[in-house]
Coordinates of all heavy atoms in Angstrom, one line a residue:
M334 N 13.0 -10.0 -4.0 CA 12.7 -9.0 -5.0 C 11.9 -7.9 -4.3 O 11.0 -8.2 -3.5 CB 11.9 -9.6 -6.1 CG 11.6 -8.5 -7.1 SD 10.4 -9.0 -8.5 CE 10.9 -10.6 -9.0
P335 N 12.2 -6.6 -4.5 CA 11.4 -5.5 -3.9 C 10.0 -5.5 -4.4 O 9.7 -6.0 -5.5 CB 12.2 -4.3 -4.3 CG 13.5 -4.7 -4.8 CD 13.4 -6.2 -5.2
A336 N 9.2 -4.9 -3.6 CA 7.7 -4.8 -4.0 C 7.6 -3.9 -5.2 O 8.3 -3.0 -5.5 CB 7.0 -4.1 -2.8
S337 N 6.5 -4.3 -5.9 CA 6.1 -3.5 -7.1 C 5.2 -2.3 -6.6 O 4.1 -2.6 -6.0 CB 5.3 -4.3 -8.1 OG 4.8 -3.6 -9.1
I338 N 5.6 -1.1 -6.8 CA 4.8 0.1 -6.4 C 4.1 0.6 -7.7 O 4.8 0.8 -8.7 CB 5.7 1.2 -5.8 CG1 6.6 0.6 -4.6 CG2 4.9 2.4 -5.4 CD1 5.8 0.1 -3.5
S339 N 2.8 0.8 -7.6 CA 2.1 1.2 -8.8 C 2.7 2.6 -9.2 O 3.0 3.5 -8.3 CB 0.6 1.3 -8.5 OG 0.3 2.5 -7.8
P340 N 2.8 2.9 -10.5 CA 3.3 4.2 -10.9 C 2.4 5.3 -10.4 O 2.9 6.4 -10.1 CB 3.2 4.1 -12.4 CG 3.3 2.6 -12.7 CD 2.6 2.0 -11.6
E341 N 1.1 5.1 -10.3 CA 0.2 6.2 -9.8 C 0.5 6.6 -8.4 O 0.5 7.7 -8.0 CB -1.3 5.7 -10.0 CG -1.7 5.4 -11.4 CD -1.4 4.0 -11.8 OE1 -1.0 3.1 -10.9 OE2 -1.5 3.7 -13.0
L342 N 0.8 5.5 -7.6 CA 1.0 5.8 -6.2 C 2.4 6.5 -6.0 O 2.5 7.5 -5.3 CB 1.1 4.5 -5.4 CG 1.3 4.5 -3.9 CD1 0.1 5.3 -3.3 CD2 1.3 3.2 -3.3
A343 N 3.4 6.1 -6.8 CA 4.7 6.7 -6.7 C 4.6 8.2 -7.1 O 5.2 9.0 -6.5 CB 5.7 6.0 -7.6
A344 N 3.8 8.5 -8.2 CA 3.6 9.8 -8.6 C 2.9 10.7 -7.6 O 3.3 11.9 -7.4 CB 2.8 9.8 -9.9
V345 N 1.9 10.2 -6.9 CA 1.2 10.9 -5.9 C 2.1 11.3 -4.7 O 2.1 12.4 -4.3 CB 0.0 10.1 -5.3 CG1 -0.6 10.7 -4.1 CG2 -1.1 10.0 -6.4
F346 N 2.9 10.3 -4.3 CA 3.9 10.7 -3.2 C 5.0 11.6 -3.7 O 5.4 12.5 -2.9 CB 4.5 9.4 -2.6 CG 3.7 8.8 -1.5 CD1 2.8 7.8 -1.8 CD2 3.8 9.3 -0.2 CE1 2.0 7.3 -0.8 CE2 3.0 8.7 0.8 CZ 2.1 7.7 0.5
E347 N 5.4 11.5 -4.9 CA 6.4 12.5 -5.5 C 5.8 13.9 -5.5 O 6.5 14.9 -5.1 CB 6.8 12.1 -6.9 CG 8.0 12.8 -7.4 CD 8.5 12.3 -8.7 OE1 8.7 11.1 -8.8 OE2 8.6 13.1 -9.6
R348 N 4.5 14.0 -5.9 CA 3.9 15.3 -5.9 C 3.7 16.0 -4.6 O 3.6 17.2 -4.4 CB 2.5 15.3 -6.6 CG 2.5 15.2 -8.1 CD 1.2 15.4 -8.8 NE 0.2 14.6 -8.3 CZ -0.2 13.3 -8.8 NH1 0.5 12.9 -9.8 NH2 -1.1 12.6 -8.3
N349 N 3.6 15.1 -3.6 CA 3.3 15.6 -2.2 C 4.6 15.4 -1.3 O 4.5 15.4 -0.1 CB 2.2 14.8 -1.6 CG 0.9 15.2 -2.2 OD1 0.3 16.2 -2.0 ND2 0.4 14.3 -3.1
E350 N 5.8 15.3 -1.9 CA 6.9 15.1 -1.1 C 7.3 16.2 -0.1 O 7.9 15.9 0.9 CB 8.2 14.8 -2.0 CG 8.7 16.0 -2.8 CD 9.8 15.6 -3.7 OE1 10.4 14.6 -3.4 OE2 10.0 16.3 -4.7
Q351 N 6.8 17.4 -0.3 CA 7.1 18.5 0.7 C 6.1 18.5 1.9 O 6.4 19.2 2.8 CB 6.9 19.9 -0.1 CG 7.9 20.0 -1.2 CD 9.3 19.9 -0.8 OE1 9.7 20.4 0.2 NE2 10.1 19.2 -1.6
D352 N 5.0 17.7 1.8 CA 4.1 17.6 2.9 C 4.4 16.3 3.7 O 4.0 15.2 3.3 CB 2.7 17.5 2.2 CG 1.6 17.4 3.3 OD1 1.9 17.5 4.5 OD2 0.4 17.4 2.9
S353 N 5.0 16.6 4.8 CA 5.4 15.4 5.7 C 4.2 14.7 6.4 O 4.4 13.7 6.9 CB 6.4 15.9 6.8 OG 5.8 16.9 7.6
E354 N 3.1 15.4 6.3 CA 1.9 14.8 6.9 C 1.1 14.0 5.9 O 0.0 13.4 6.3 CB 1.0 15.9 7.6 CG 1.7 16.7 8.7 CD 2.1 15.8 9.8 OE1 1.2 15.0 10.3 OE2 3.2 15.9 10.3
Y355 N 1.4 14.0 4.7 CA 0.6 13.4 3.6 C 0.5 11.9 3.8 O 1.5 11.2 4.1 CB 1.2 13.7 2.2 CG 0.4 13.0 1.1 CD1 -0.8 13.6 0.7 CD2 0.7 11.9 0.5 CE1 -1.6 13.0 -0.2 CE2 -0.1 11.2 -0.4 CZ -1.2 11.8 -0.8 OH -2.0 11.2 -1.8
K356 N -0.7 11.4 3.7 CA -0.9 9.9 3.9 C -1.8 9.5 2.7 O -2.6 10.3 2.2 CB -1.6 9.6 5.2 CG -0.7 9.9 6.4 CD -1.4 9.5 7.7 CE -0.5 9.5 8.8 NZ 0.0 10.8 9.3
Q357 N -1.7 8.2 2.4 CA -2.5 7.6 1.3 C -3.0 6.3 1.7 O -2.3 5.5 2.3 CB -1.6 7.5 0.0 CG -2.2 6.8 -1.1 CD -3.2 7.7 -1.9 OE1 -3.0 8.9 -2.0 NE2 -4.3 7.1 -2.5
R358 N -4.3 6.0 1.4 CA -4.8 4.7 1.7 C -4.4 3.7 0.5 O -4.6 4.1 -0.6 CB -6.3 4.7 1.8 CG -7.0 3.5 2.4 CD -8.4 3.8 2.8 NE -9.1 2.5 3.0 CZ -10.0 2.4 4.0 NH1 -10.3 3.4 4.7 NH2 -10.6 1.2 4.2
V359 N -3.9 2.6 0.9 CA -3.4 1.6 -0.2 C -3.8 0.2 0.1 O -4.3 -0.1 1.2 CB -1.8 1.7 -0.2 CG1 -1.3 3.0 -0.6 CG2 -1.2 1.2 1.1
I360 N -3.7 -0.6 -1.0 CA -3.9 -2.0 -0.9 C -2.5 -2.7 -1.0 O -1.8 -2.4 -1.9 CB -4.8 -2.5 -2.0 CG1 -6.2 -1.9 -1.9 CG2 -4.9 -4.0 -2.0 CD1 -7.1 -2.2 -3.0
I361 N -2.1 -3.5 0.0 CA -0.8 -4.1 0.0 C -1.1 -5.6 -0.3 O -1.9 -6.3 0.4 CB -0.2 -4.0 1.4 CG1 0.0 -2.5 1.7 CG2 1.1 -4.7 1.4 CD1 0.3 -2.2 3.2
T362 N -0.4 -6.1 -1.3 CA -0.5 -7.6 -1.6 C 0.8 -8.2 -1.1 O 1.9 -7.8 -1.5 CB -0.7 -7.8 -3.1 OG1 -1.9 -7.1 -3.5 CG2 -0.9 -9.3 -3.4
L363 N 0.6 -9.2 -0.3 CA 1.8 -9.9 0.3 C 2.2 -11.1 -0.7 O 1.3 -11.6 -1.4 CB 1.5 -10.5 1.6 CG 1.1 -9.5 2.7 CD1 0.6 -10.2 4.0 CD2 2.2 -8.5 3.0
E364 N 3.5 -11.4 -0.7 CA 3.9 -12.7 -1.4 C 3.2 -13.9 -0.7 O 2.8 -13.8 0.5 CB 5.4 -12.8 -1.3 CG 6.2 -11.8 -2.0 CD 6.1 -12.0 -3.6 OE1 5.6 -13.0 -4.0 OE2 6.6 -11.1 -4.2
E365 N 2.9 -14.9 -1.5 CA 2.3 -16.1 -1.0 C 3.0 -16.7 0.2 O 4.2 -16.7 0.2 CB 2.2 -17.1 -2.2 CG 1.1 -18.1 -2.0 CD -0.3 -17.5 -2.1 OE1 -0.5 -16.5 -2.9 OE2 -1.1 -17.9 -1.3
N366 N 2.3 -17.1 1.2 CA 2.8 -17.7 2.4 C 3.8 -16.7 3.2 O 4.7 -17.1 3.9 CB 3.5 -19.0 2.1 CG 2.6 -20.0 1.5 OD1 1.5 -20.1 2.0 ND2 3.1 -20.7 0.5
S367 N 3.6 -15.4 3.0 CA 4.4 -14.4 3.7 C 4.0 -14.3 5.2 O 2.9 -14.4 5.5 CB 4.2 -13.1 3.0 OG 4.9 -12.1 3.8
S368 N 5.0 -14.1 6.0 CA 4.8 -13.8 7.4 C 5.2 -12.4 7.8 O 5.6 -12.1 8.9 CB 5.5 -14.9 8.3 OG 6.9 -14.7 8.0
A369 N 5.1 -11.5 6.8 CA 5.5 -10.1 7.0 C 4.7 -9.5 8.1 O 3.5 -9.6 8.2 CB 5.3 -9.3 5.7
D370 N 5.4 -8.7 9.0 CA 4.6 -8.0 10.0 C 4.5 -6.5 9.6 O 5.3 -5.7 10.1 CB 5.4 -8.1 11.4 CG 4.6 -7.5 12.5 OD1 3.5 -7.1 12.3 OD2 5.2 -7.4 13.7
V371 N 3.6 -6.2 8.8 CA 3.4 -4.9 8.2 C 3.1 -3.9 9.3 O 3.5 -2.8 9.3 CB 2.3 -5.0 7.1 CG1 2.0 -3.6 6.6 CG2 2.7 -5.9 6.0
S372 N 2.4 -4.4 10.4 CA 2.0 -3.4 11.5 C 3.2 -2.9 12.2 O 3.1 -1.8 12.9 CB 1.0 -4.1 12.4 OG 1.7 -5.2 13.1
A373 N 4.3 -3.5 12.1 CA 5.5 -3.1 12.8 C 6.3 -2.0 12.0 O 7.3 -1.4 12.5 CB 6.4 -4.2 13.2
M374 N 5.9 -1.8 10.7 CA 6.6 -0.9 9.9 C 6.3 0.5 10.2 O 5.1 0.9 10.4 CB 6.3 -1.2 8.4 CG 6.8 -2.5 7.9 SD 6.3 -2.7 6.1 CE 7.0 -4.3 5.8
Q375 N 7.3 1.3 10.3 CA 7.1 2.8 10.5 C 6.4 3.4 9.3 O 6.7 3.2 8.2 CB 8.5 3.5 10.7 CG 8.3 5.0 11.0 CD 9.6 5.6 11.2 OE1 10.7 5.0 11.1 NE2 9.6 6.9 11.4
G376 N 5.3 4.1 9.6 CA 4.6 4.8 8.6 C 3.5 4.0 8.0 O 2.9 4.4 7.0
V377 N 3.2 2.9 8.6 CA 2.1 2.0 8.0 C 1.1 1.8 9.2 O 1.4 1.3 10.2 CB 2.6 0.6 7.5 CG1 1.5 -0.2 7.1 CG2 3.7 0.8 6.5
K378 N -0.2 2.1 8.9 CA -1.3 1.9 9.8 C -2.3 1.0 9.2 O -2.9 1.3 8.2 CB -2.0 3.2 10.2 CG -3.1 3.0 11.2 CD -3.8 4.3 11.5 CE -5.0 4.1 12.3 NZ -5.8 5.2 12.4
I379 N -2.5 -0.2 9.7 CA -3.4 -1.2 9.1 C -4.8 -0.8 9.3 O -5.2 -0.5 10.4 CB -3.2 -2.6 9.6 CG1 -1.8 -3.1 9.1 CG2 -4.3 -3.6 9.1 CD1 -1.4 -4.5 9.6
V380 N -5.6 -0.8 8.2 CA -7.1 -0.5 8.3 C -7.9 -1.8 8.3 O -8.8 -1.9 9.0 CB -7.5 0.5 7.1 CG1 -9.0 0.7 7.1 CG2 -6.7 1.8 7.2
N381 N -7.5 -2.7 7.5 CA -8.2 -4.0 7.3 C -7.3 -5.0 6.8 O -6.4 -4.8 6.0 CB -9.4 -3.8 6.4 CG -10.4 -4.9 6.5 OD1 -10.3 -5.8 7.3 ND2 -11.4 -4.9 5.6
R382 N -7.5 -6.3 7.2 CA -6.7 -7.4 6.7 C -7.7 -8.5 6.2 O -8.6 -8.9 6.9 CB -5.9 -8.0 7.9 CG -4.9 -9.0 7.5 CD -4.2 -9.6 8.7 NE -3.4 -8.6 9.5 CZ -2.1 -8.3 9.3 NH1 -1.4 -9.1 8.5 NH2 -1.5 -7.4 10.0
M383 N -7.5 -8.9 5.0 CA -8.3 -9.9 4.4 C -8.0 -11.3 5.0 O -6.8 -11.6 5.1 CB -8.2 -10.0 2.9 CG -8.4 -8.6 2.2 SD -10.1 -8.1 2.4 CE -9.9 -6.4 1.9
Q384 N -9.0 -12.0 5.4 CA -8.7 -13.3 6.1 C -8.3 -14.4 5.1 O -7.5 -15.2 5.5 CB -10.0 -13.7 6.9 CG -10.3 -12.8 8.0 CD -9.2 -12.6 9.0 OE1 -8.6 -13.6 9.4 NE2 -9.0 -11.4 9.5
S385 N -8.9 -14.4 3.9 CA -8.7 -15.6 3.0 C -7.7 -15.3 1.9 O -7.4 -16.1 1.1 CB -10.0 -16.0 2.4 OG -10.6 -14.9 1.7
M386 N -7.2 -14.0 1.8 CA -6.2 -13.6 0.8 C -5.1 -12.8 1.5 O -5.3 -12.2 2.5 CB -6.9 -12.8 -0.2 CG -8.0 -13.5 -0.9 SD -8.8 -12.5 -2.3 CE -9.4 -11.1 -1.5
P387 N -3.9 -12.9 0.8 CA -2.8 -12.1 1.4 C -2.8 -10.7 1.0 O -1.9 -10.1 0.4 CB -1.6 -12.8 0.7 CG -2.1 -13.3 -0.6 CD -3.5 -13.6 -0.4
I388 N -3.9 -10.0 1.5 CA -4.1 -8.6 1.2 C -4.4 -7.8 2.4 O -5.1 -8.2 3.3 CB -5.3 -8.4 0.2 CG1 -4.9 -9.1 -1.1 CG2 -5.6 -7.0 0.0 CD1 -6.0 -9.1 -2.2
I389 N -3.8 -6.6 2.5 CA -4.0 -5.7 3.7 C -4.3 -4.3 3.1 O -3.7 -3.9 2.1 CB -2.7 -5.6 4.5 CG1 -2.3 -6.9 5.1 CG2 -2.8 -4.5 5.5 CD1 -0.9 -7.0 5.7
V390 N -5.3 -3.7 3.7 CA -5.6 -2.3 3.4 C -5.0 -1.5 4.5 O -5.1 -1.8 5.7 CB -7.1 -2.0 3.3 CG1 -7.4 -0.6 3.1 CG2 -7.8 -2.9 2.3
A391 N -4.2 -0.4 4.1 CA -3.5 0.4 5.1 C -3.5 1.9 4.7 O -3.7 2.2 3.6 CB -2.1 -0.1 5.3
E392 N -3.2 2.7 5.7 CA -2.9 4.1 5.4 C -1.4 4.2 5.6 O -0.8 3.8 6.7 CB -3.6 5.0 6.4 CG -3.6 6.4 6.1 CD -4.4 7.3 7.0 OE1 -4.0 7.6 8.1 OE2 -5.6 7.5 6.6
I393 N -0.7 4.8 4.6 CA 0.8 4.9 4.7 C 1.2 6.4 4.5 O 0.5 7.2 3.8 CB 1.5 4.0 3.7 CG1 1.2 4.4 2.3 CG2 1.1 2.6 4.0 CD1 2.0 3.7 1.2
D394 N 2.4 6.7 5.0 CA 3.0 8.0 4.6 C 4.3 7.6 3.8 O 4.5 6.5 3.5 CB 3.4 8.8 5.9 CG 4.3 8.1 6.9 OD1 5.0 7.1 6.5 OD2 4.4 8.5 8.0
A395 N 5.1 8.6 3.5 CA 6.3 8.4 2.7 C 7.2 7.3 3.3 O 7.8 6.5 2.6 CB 7.0 9.7 2.4
N396 N 7.4 7.3 4.6 CA 8.3 6.3 5.3 C 7.7 4.9 5.1 O 8.4 4.0 4.9 CB 8.4 6.6 6.8 CG 9.3 7.9 7.0 OD1 10.2 8.1 6.3 ND2 8.9 8.6 8.1
G397 N 6.4 4.8 5.2 CA 5.7 3.5 5.0 C 5.9 3.0 3.6 O 6.1 1.8 3.3
L398 N 5.8 3.9 2.6 CA 6.0 3.6 1.2 C 7.4 3.0 1.0 O 7.6 2.0 0.3 CB 5.8 4.7 0.3 CG 5.9 4.4 -1.2 CD1 4.8 3.4 -1.7 CD2 5.8 5.7 -2.1
K399 N 8.4 3.7 1.6 CA 9.8 3.2 1.5 C 10.0 1.8 2.1 O 10.6 1.0 1.6 CB 10.8 4.2 2.1 CG 10.9 5.5 1.3 CD 11.8 6.5 2.0 CE 11.7 7.8 1.3 NZ 12.2 8.9 2.2
A400 N 9.4 1.7 3.3 CA 9.5 0.4 4.0 C 8.9 -0.7 3.2 O 9.5 -1.8 3.1 CB 8.9 0.5 5.4
L401 N 7.7 -0.5 2.7 CA 7.0 -1.5 1.9 C 7.8 -1.8 0.6 O 7.9 -3.0 0.2 CB 5.6 -1.1 1.6 CG 4.6 -1.0 2.7 CD1 3.4 -0.2 2.3 CD2 4.3 -2.3 3.2
A402 N 8.3 -0.8 -0.1 CA 9.0 -1.0 -1.3 C 10.3 -1.8 -1.1 O 10.7 -2.6 -2.1 CB 9.4 0.4 -1.9
N403 N 10.9 -1.8 0.0 CA 12.1 -2.5 0.2 C 12.0 -3.9 0.9 O 13.0 -4.5 1.2 CB 13.1 -1.7 1.1 CG 13.5 -0.5 0.3 OD1 13.9 -0.6 -0.9 ND2 13.5 0.7 0.9
D404 N 10.7 -4.3 1.2 CA 10.5 -5.5 1.9 C 10.2 -6.7 0.9 O 9.2 -6.6 0.1 CB 9.3 -5.4 2.9 CG 9.2 -6.6 3.8 OD1 9.3 -7.7 3.3 OD2 8.9 -6.3 5.0
P405 N 11.0 -7.7 0.8 CA 10.8 -8.8 -0.1 C 9.5 -9.6 0.1 O 9.1 -10.3 -0.8 CB 12.0 -9.6 0.1 CG 12.6 -9.3 1.4 CD 12.2 -7.9 1.7
A406 N 8.9 -9.4 1.3 CA 7.6 -10.1 1.5 C 6.4 -9.4 0.9 O 5.3 -10.0 0.9 CB 7.5 -10.3 3.0
I407 N 6.6 -8.2 0.4 CA 5.6 -7.4 -0.2 C 5.6 -7.6 -1.7 O 6.6 -7.4 -2.3 CB 5.7 -5.9 0.2 CG1 5.8 -5.7 1.7 CG2 4.5 -5.1 -0.4 CD1 4.7 -6.2 2.5
K408 N 4.5 -8.0 -2.2 CA 4.4 -8.3 -3.7 C 4.1 -7.0 -4.4 O 4.7 -6.7 -5.5 CB 3.4 -9.3 -4.0 CG 3.3 -9.8 -5.4 CD 2.4 -10.9 -5.6 CE 2.3 -11.4 -7.0 NZ 1.5 -12.6 -7.1
R409 N 3.0 -6.2 -4.0 CA 2.6 -5.1 -4.7 C 1.9 -4.1 -3.7 O 1.3 -4.5 -2.8 CB 1.6 -5.5 -5.7 CG 1.0 -4.4 -6.6 CD 0.6 -4.8 -7.9 NE 0.0 -3.8 -8.7 CZ 0.6 -2.8 -9.4 NH1 2.0 -2.8 -9.3 NH2 0.0 -1.9 -10.1
V410 N 2.0 -2.8 -4.1 CA 1.4 -1.7 -3.3 C 0.7 -0.8 -4.3 O 1.4 -0.3 -5.3 CB 2.4 -0.9 -2.5 CG1 1.6 0.2 -1.6 CG2 3.2 -1.8 -1.5
E411 N -0.6 -0.6 -4.1 CA -1.3 0.2 -5.1 C -2.4 1.1 -4.3 O -2.8 0.7 -3.2 CB -2.0 -0.6 -6.2 CG -2.8 -1.7 -5.6 CD -3.1 -2.8 -6.7 OE1 -3.3 -2.4 -7.8 OE2 -3.1 -4.0 -6.3
P412 N -2.8 2.2 -4.9 CA -3.8 3.0 -4.2 C -5.1 2.3 -4.0 O -5.5 1.5 -4.9 CB -4.0 4.2 -5.2 CG -3.0 4.1 -6.3 CD -2.4 2.7 -6.2
D413 N -5.8 2.5 -2.9 CA -7.1 2.0 -2.7 C -8.1 3.0 -3.3 O -7.9 4.2 -3.2 CB -7.3 1.9 -1.2 CG -8.7 1.2 -0.9 OD1 -9.2 0.5 -1.8 OD2 -9.1 1.2 0.3
G414 N -9.1 2.5 -3.9 CA -10.1 3.4 -4.5 C -11.4 2.8 -4.7 O -11.6 1.6 -4.4
E415 N -12.4 3.5 -5.1 CA -13.7 3.0 -5.3 C -13.7 2.1 -6.6 O -13.1 2.5 -7.6 CB -14.7 4.2 -5.5 CG -15.3 4.7 -4.3 CD -16.4 5.7 -4.5 OE1 -17.2 5.5 -5.5 OE2 -16.4 6.7 -3.8
M416 N -14.5 1.0 -6.5 CA -14.7 0.2 -7.6 C -16.1 0.4 -8.1 O -17.0 0.5 -7.3 CB -14.4 -1.3 -7.3 CG -13.0 -1.5 -6.9 SD -12.6 -3.2 -6.5 CE -12.7 -4.0 -8.1
Q417 N -16.3 0.3 -9.4 CA -17.6 0.4 -9.9 C -17.8 -0.8 -10.9 O -17.0 -1.1 -11.7 CB -17.8 1.7 -10.7 CG -17.7 2.9 -9.7 CD -17.9 4.2 -10.5 OE1 -18.2 4.3 -11.7 NE2 -17.7 5.3 -9.8
A418 N -19.0 -1.3 -10.9 CA -19.4 -2.4 -11.8 C -19.6 -1.8 -13.2 O -20.1 -0.8 -13.3 CB -20.6 -3.1 -11.3
L419 N -19.1 -2.6 -14.2 CA -19.4 -2.2 -15.5 C -20.8 -2.6 -16.0 O -21.2 -3.7 -15.6 CB -18.3 -2.8 -16.5 CG -16.9 -2.4 -16.2 CD1 -15.9 -3.2 -17.1 CD2 -16.7 -0.9 -16.5
P420 N -21.4 -1.8 -16.8 CA -22.8 -2.2 -17.2 C -22.6 -3.5 -18.2 O -21.7 -3.6 -18.9 CB -23.3 -1.0 -18.0 CG -22.1 -0.2 -18.2 CD -21.1 -0.5 -17.3
E421 N -23.7 -4.3 -18.1 CA -23.6 -5.6 -18.9 C -24.1 -5.3 -20.3 O -24.8 -4.5 -20.6 CB -24.4 -6.6 -18.3 CG -23.8 -7.1 -17.0 CD -24.5 -8.3 -16.4 OE1 -25.0 -9.1 -17.2 OE2 -24.6 -8.3 -15.2

């Protein structure tokens, strides 16, 4: 099954489709027990790899988004962003 691309991420790339240099920092979730070699994909630059979870933080361009979307070893791709704690 192809990866799930977040609607927000797809919209950002669609808005910037004329800019061939546009890149976005993303969180990539791999399918369980995946052996995907994300670093070999064109348009994907790994920033960080979680050791205990199947998660990779990467910078991607439009080619990288297409490669990730079509790889069955990729579960989800979503924008990376700041997280804030909710007040108790």
Side-chain angles (χ1 to χ4, degrees):
M334 178 190 318
S337 171
I338 305 298
S339 81
E341 299 86 11
L342 185 61
V345 167
F346 272 95
E347 190 173 307
R348 282 193 305 270
N349 291 285
E350 68 183 339
Q351 300 302 319
D352 182 0
S353 62
E354 300 297 314
Y355 181 76
K356 292 183 171 72
Q357 175 79 31
R358 193 169 167 144
V359 298
I360 298 172
I361 302 165
T362 305
L363 304 172
E364 290 290 351
E365 206 62 40
N366 300 317
S367 170
S368 60
D370 187 6
V371 175
S372 63
M374 293 180 181
Q375 182 179 359
V377 178
K378 179 184 173 194
I379 293 178
V380 175
N381 194 6
R382 186 182 301 261
M383 305 299 165
Q384 296 300 319
S385 60
M386 298 185 299
I388 295 175
I389 296 170
V390 177
E392 188 175 89
I393 65 170
D394 61 18
N396 289 328
L398 183 64
K399 289 175 191 165
L401 291 166
N403 293 316
D404 191 319
I407 307 300
K408 184 174 186 176
R409 181 151 176 80
V410 183
E411 53 198 320
D413 187 15
E415 270 187 43
M416 294 181 73
Q417 297 181 5
L419 297 173
E421 292 186 35

